[in-house]
Amino acid sequence: MTKTPKVAIVGATGAVGEEMRLCLEERNFPLESLTLLASARSAGKKMSFRGEELTVKELTHDSFEGIDIALFSAGGGISLTYGPSAAAAGCMVIDNSSAFRMDPEIPLVVPEINPDAAFTHQGIIANPNCSTIITLMGLYPLHLAFGLKSIIASTYQAVSGSGAKGIIELEQQARAWAEGGEMIQEVYPHQIAFNLLPHVDAFLEDGYTKEEMKMLNEGRKIMSLPNLKVTCTCVRVPVFRAHSISVSAEFERPVSVEAARQAIASFAGTELVDDPANLKYPMPLDYSEKIDCGVGRIRKDHVFENGLALWVTGDQVWKGAALNAIQIAELLGSKRQQT
Ligand SMILES: NC(=O)c1ccc[n+]([C@@H]2O[C@H](COP(=O)([O-])OP(=O)(O)OC[C@H]3O[C@@H](n4cnc5c(N)ncnc54)[C@H](OP(=O)(O)O)[C@@H]3O)[C@@H](O)[C@H]2O)c1
C-alpha cells in the first residue's frame, strides 16, 4: 500500500457514508484522494470534502482499481457482491455491514478492545454491530477489572440506526402529529413517533431478533470470551441519534462501584458521567457527534452475586459505525508507519 492511501467510501450518500466523509475530514486522515461511490440513483451528486467538490460515482466492479482502502457502508448485499473482489484487487476493505462479521477468517475489530485482531486480516476487516460496540465500550474496562461472565441488556436504539430513511420517518411523523396531518409509515411496522418498538431487525425462530443475537455472537468474538452469556432485548426509540444500553453484568470476581468507576474513567474512548446527585448521566442528546461513549448509573446489581448495573450511551453513527471504521484504518496506518 502506498504511504498516503487512495480511499473510497461505498454508500457515500447514506447515513453512515456521509459521516465517514465528515470523520475523514475532521480527523485529518492522510489520504491522496477520496472517491465517493453509491448507486446509479446518486451518481452525479456533488459533495464537499476539504474544500473541494467531489462527484458521486456509480459503484461498479471496476470502482476499486487503484484504490487502497474501501470503507463499505451500503448494506450486506453490496458488501458480499463487491467486497471480496475489491480485496482480491489489493484494496483493504473495512466493512460496516453484518456480511462478514462472524466469518472466523475475518477480524471483527474495536480498536480500543482488540486492536491486534486487525493485523490478522486477509484483505477484509469487519466493523461490529453498533449497539454491540457501544455496550462493549462500557463493559470491556469492567471485564479487565473483574472478569465478565454474563450480561442482561436492553437497548434504546435511535432511528438513524435504520439509515437516512429512519430519520425522515420520525421527523415526518412528529411534524404530522403537531400539525394534525397524516403520519406516513414506511420504514417501521408501527408508528415510531411517541412510541417504542421492541423490535430491531428480523425475528428468529426462538423469539429473539437478529440484532439481539449480534450482542451475544459479536461480543464473544471481539472479547475472545466464547462462554459469555448474553440475553438482550433491542428496542427502537423515537430518538434521532445515539444509542443507549441498560446493562446488568455478572463478573467472576467481587466488584466495587468505586473500582468500576475508576476502570471506566481510565479507559480510552469511554468517559464517566456518573453523578446522580447533580442529575448527571449520559443521554443521547449529549452524545450525538461525540467520539467517546458515556457510562453512568453504575451501581451494585441486586440480582447477580458479583454484579453491576450500568447505563452506556454512544453515537452509533460515529463510534458504532463511521468513526470505528476510520479508527481501524488509522490503526493499520500507524503500524505501517512504524515498520
Ligand atoms: N445507520 C447506522 O447507525 C449504522 C450503524 C452501523 C452499521 N450500519 C450499517 O451500515 C450500512 C449502511 O447503513 P446506512 O444507515 O448508512 O444506510 P442508508 O442511509 O440507507 O444508506 C445506504 C447507502 O448505500 C447505498 N446503496 C444502496 N444500494 C446501492 C447499490 N445498489 N449500489 C451502491 N450503493 C448502494 C446508498 O446509495 P443511494 O443514495 O444511491 O441509494 C446509500 O449511500 C448498513 O449495512 C447498515 O447495517 C449502519
Side-chain angles (χ1 to χ4, degrees):
M1 198 185 285
T2 54
K3 266 244 158 91
T4 345
K6 293 182 176 167
V7 177
I9 300 176
V10 181
T13 52
V16 174
E18 293 235 19
E19 297 298 324
M20 283 173 159
R21 182 171 47 89
L22 293 177
C23 285
L24 287 171
E25 184 157 339
E26 278 194 16
R27 295 174 75 80
N28 210 12
F29 186 93
L31 53 80
E32 191 180 317
S33 65
L34 181 65
T35 302
L36 303 177
L37 301 165
S39 77
R41 292 180 291 276
S42 306
K45 196 175 166 182
K46 307 277 184 205
M47 295 180 131
S48 71
F49 181 70
R50 291 182 182 162
E52 263 185 68
E53 211 171 59
L54 302 181
T55 304
V56 176
K57 294 182 185 156
E58 181 183 356
L59 171 68
T60 69
H61 279 287
D62 299 328
S63 299
F64 301 99
E65 240 167 72
I67 301 290
D68 301 301
I69 300 173
L71 304 168
F72 271 69
S73 189
I78 296 294
S79 297
L80 286 168
T81 307
Y82 295 91
S85 52
C91 179
M92 176 70 238
V93 172
I94 303 175
D95 181 43
N96 248 295
S97 79
S98 56
F100 305 112
R101 287 180 191 152
M102 293 317 297
D103 183 328
E105 304 298 322
I106 293 182
L108 183 64
V109 177
V110 181
E112 294 87 343
I113 299 177
N114 61 338
D116 293 348
F119 301 103
T120 65
H121 78 82
Q122 291 163 26
I124 301 178
I125 295 179
N127 210 51
N129 164 258
C130 47
S131 299
T132 306
I133 296 181
I134 294 164
T135 305
L136 297 195
M137 287 301 290
L139 276 178
Y140 190 68
L142 303 179
H143 165 60
L144 295 177
F146 312 117
L148 187 61
K149 266 175 82 176
S150 54
I151 310 167
I152 299 175
S154 295
T155 70
Y156 300 68
Q157 299 187 215
V159 292
S160 49
S162 311
K165 57 194 183 308
I167 302 171
I168 293 167
E169 185 139 317
L170 174 57
E171 233 166 32
Q172 192 283 329
Q173 290 183 359
R175 215 180 288 278
W177 181 85
E179 293 167 357
E182 191 197 338
M183 291 192 192
I184 298 169
Q185 232 172 262
E186 285 170 349
V187 177
Y188 300 111
H190 305 281
Q191 178 185 321
I192 184 64
F194 317 108
N195 202 8
L196 300 174
L197 311 186
H199 172 192
V200 179
D201 209 337
F203 281 102
L204 300 166
E205 266 184 20
D206 64 0
Y208 283 87
T209 65
K210 281 187 177 174
E211 185 85 352
E212 289 161 354
M213 296 314 290
K214 290 171 194 168
M215 187 82 82
L216 169 72
N217 296 322
E218 297 184 24
R220 284 179 171 177
K221 180 169 174 178
I222 296 162
M223 295 189 287
S224 300
L225 287 177
N227 300 319
L228 178 72
K229 289 185 181 166
V230 178
T231 289
C232 183
T233 303
C234 288
V235 184
R236 185 73 65 194
V237 299
V239 161
F240 282 114
R241 185 159 166 166
H243 290 357
S244 302
I245 303 96
S246 163
V247 191
S248 277
E250 182 188 27
F251 298 91
E252 305 278 355
R253 300 184 286 282
V255 297
S256 90
V257 169
E258 203 35 56
R261 287 197 173 128
Q262 279 172 17
I264 298 289
S266 56
F267 189 72
T270 302
E271 61 183 22
L272 181 73
V273 185
D274 197 13
D275 185 5
N278 289 304
L279 313 184
K280 293 201 170 138
Y281 27 72
M283 294 182 290
L285 286 180
D286 297 334
Y287 278 83
S288 298
E289 300 192 10
K290 208 165 164 166
I291 289 172
D292 288 348
C293 296
V295 181
R297 299 293 323 277
I298 303 177
R299 58 214 189 273
K300 282 267 183 91
D301 188 271
H302 281 168
V303 174
F304 292 129
E305 174 85 27
N306 294 327
L308 288 167
L310 56 141
W311 173 260
V312 193
T313 301
D315 186 336
Q316 95 290 346
V317 202
W318 277 19
K319 186 57 192 164
L323 172 67
N324 196 71
I326 289 162
Q327 287 173 322
I328 293 171
E330 288 171 348
L331 180 67
L332 297 174
S334 66
K335 179 87 169 190
R336 267 200 319 279
Q337 276 178 354
Q338 282 166 21
T339 53

